[in-house]
Amino acid sequence: MDPLTAVLAGPRARDAFLLQALMSPPWSLRVEDEAPLTVVVVQRGSAWFTRAGTSLELHPGDALLIRGPEPYLVTDKAGTPPTAVIRPGQRCSGPGGEDLTDRLDSELRTWGNDVDGPDALLIGTYLTASEVGRALLTSLPMHYLLRNHRQLEPIIGLILDELAQSAPARTTALDRLLDLLLVRIVRQAQADLPAHANWLSAQNDPVIHRALTAIHRRPAEAWTVEKLARVGGTSRANFARRFSEQVGQSPMAYLSQHRLSLAADLLLGDGRLTTAAVAARTGYATPYSFSHAFKAHHGVSPQIYRRGAGTVGQEAAGTSSVEGARATEGVTAVEGG
């Protein structure tokens, strides 16, 4: 199991917000939903993405990965004032606060001001950080643009087929298709991120990739820098330097962070696991040492996290990680092939 597979194997879309936006100009969506990750694909027409002084023109076939929770605009052209605001819970209102829920056809999963409009977007939103995985979220750039990538066309076609019909298990099918779309985009992002960017790009280094694979495959093992260097096939000193340069933190710091992120997912994902069982699965000798480390990292005890403070812990973990601080802030645009 490679590290990216390990990150994506557990967290996945669950009742994801996935629909078509069908519009005629002028239109402008101000997105304030605080979602951790959104995928926007232009089916026809065009659109503009604007956030924090960056504006990108999107064309048919383009796919844009947007990392939250900061707000952004998706518009028919740069400068169009908001005609709708998307808030947490995917509540939609006009700029004056008027409810625009009636624009949503929940059966067909469409929304917009004109079903025959020239602009059509496919929008998929992961609603919680645990659905995506904190290690992935904090390694992605704030936005990543994939230009006209033909490998996405079959997946988009399947998603549109599912949206066009009311069939059994449609929600499950759409969730898995959104996951597949995300995997395809993230694979390209991994290849395109510059060296020394973060955990995701570090996997392009074969030495670091082997070590990361070992950590993700066997997180409970008593890893040391020496052991990981042997897995990577290099000296301890070279490995420690190389790992820190590529990932942005030391091997032991990364191991600790991964264990505690994994523990958070285990606590939220399986109510049958005791704290002692989670501690054992993540390499802690005793429940006490695990609880102490967990609270220091997530800000709350494992018990409180499981009872409902999980989202608070996820936000704290995401914004405080070294990976997040080093995540590429710019945009990468790649031509499809």
Side-chain angles (χ1 to χ4, degrees):
M1 180 182 293
D2 65 89
L4 188 56
T5 295
V7 166
L8 292 172
R12 57 181 61 187
R14 302 178 187 92
D15 297 325
F17 185 75
L18 182 59
L19 55 69
Q20 282 182 291
L22 307 173
M23 288 156 306
S24 286
W27 59 268
S28 174
L29 308 179
R30 178 172 173 82
V31 183
E32 302 176 356
D33 62 0
E34 301 179 3
L37 194 65
T38 297
V39 181
V40 176
V41 178
V42 179
Q43 295 172 242
R44 67 173 185 263
S46 63
W48 282 81
F49 165 79
T50 305
R51 178 166 64 177
T54 297
S55 292
L56 302 170
E57 187 174 10
L58 311 179
H59 304 285
D62 290 353
L64 181 65
L65 203 58
I66 306 168
R67 184 158 68 93
E70 293 81 3
Y72 55 90
L73 288 167
V74 181
T75 62
D76 64 326
K77 63 181 180 179
T80 300
T83 56
V85 182
I86 312 300
R87 295 186 168 86
Q90 303 306 314
R91 292 179 292 106
C92 183
S93 60
E98 62 275 21
D99 187 7
L100 298 180
T101 304
D102 59 350
R103 290 190 181 182
L104 174 66
D105 185 329
S106 57
E107 184 64 27
L108 294 178
R109 294 207 188 196
T110 61
W111 182 93
N113 63 14
D114 185 355
V115 293
D116 298 315
D119 299 327
L121 309 177
L122 182 65
I123 303 173
T125 300
Y126 288 83
L127 301 176
T128 68
S130 62
E131 292 182 358
V132 186
R134 283 169 289 277
L136 176 60
L137 276 176
T138 55
S139 294
L140 290 170
M142 292 303 293
H143 49 268
Y144 171 77
L145 176 58
L146 188 55
R147 292 276 190 200
N148 192 27
H149 205 286
R150 290 192 290 272
Q151 288 187 10
L152 302 182
E153 291 178 0
I155 307 170
I156 300 301
L158 289 171
I159 291 175
L160 295 176
D161 284 345
E162 288 293 332
L163 289 174
Q165 58 183 311
S166 180
R170 182 175 71 155
T171 296
T172 300
L174 288 171
D175 285 348
R176 298 294 75 78
L177 288 169
L178 178 58
D179 289 337
L180 180 57
L181 183 64
L182 175 64
V183 168
R184 287 291 182 91
I185 297 173
V186 169
R187 278 180 185 169
Q188 192 63 54
Q190 177 181 325
D192 297 326
L193 284 174
H196 311 307
N198 51 41
W199 166 85
L200 191 60
S201 63
Q203 295 178 65
N204 298 323
D205 182 321
V207 169
I208 306 306
H209 178 79
R210 287 192 290 269
L212 288 171
T213 298
I215 288 173
H216 283 259
R217 183 179 294 166
R218 304 190 299 279
E221 187 160 327
W223 291 113
T224 64
V225 177
E226 289 81 2
K227 284 184 178 180
L228 289 170
R230 287 198 294 272
V231 169
T234 188
S235 69
R236 182 190 186 282
N238 181 59
F239 172 75
R241 174 188 58 78
R242 201 160 164 173
F243 193 100
S244 296
E245 288 178 352
Q246 295 282 356
V247 180
Q249 57 190 145
S250 71
M252 292 299 99
Y254 178 84
L255 173 64
S256 176
Q257 179 175 290
H258 171 64
R259 284 172 167 172
L260 292 168
S261 292
L262 175 61
D265 288 336
L266 290 171
L267 286 167
L268 294 180
D270 191 342
R272 296 170 298 179
L273 287 178
T274 64
T275 300
V278 174
R281 289 195 184 189
T282 52
Y284 288 88
T286 66
Y288 174 79
S289 63
F290 165 65
S291 295
H292 180 77
F294 190 95
K295 186 172 183 179
H297 184 76
H298 290 286
V300 294
S301 69
Q303 293 81 5
I304 293 176
Y305 191 95
R306 170 174 271 166
R307 286 200 298 266
T311 54
V312 175
Q314 290 166 14
E315 292 168 2
T319 56
S320 65
S321 73
V322 176
E323 293 171 307
R326 290 184 53 128
T328 305
E329 295 300 323
V331 59
T332 303
V334 182
E335 296 294 337

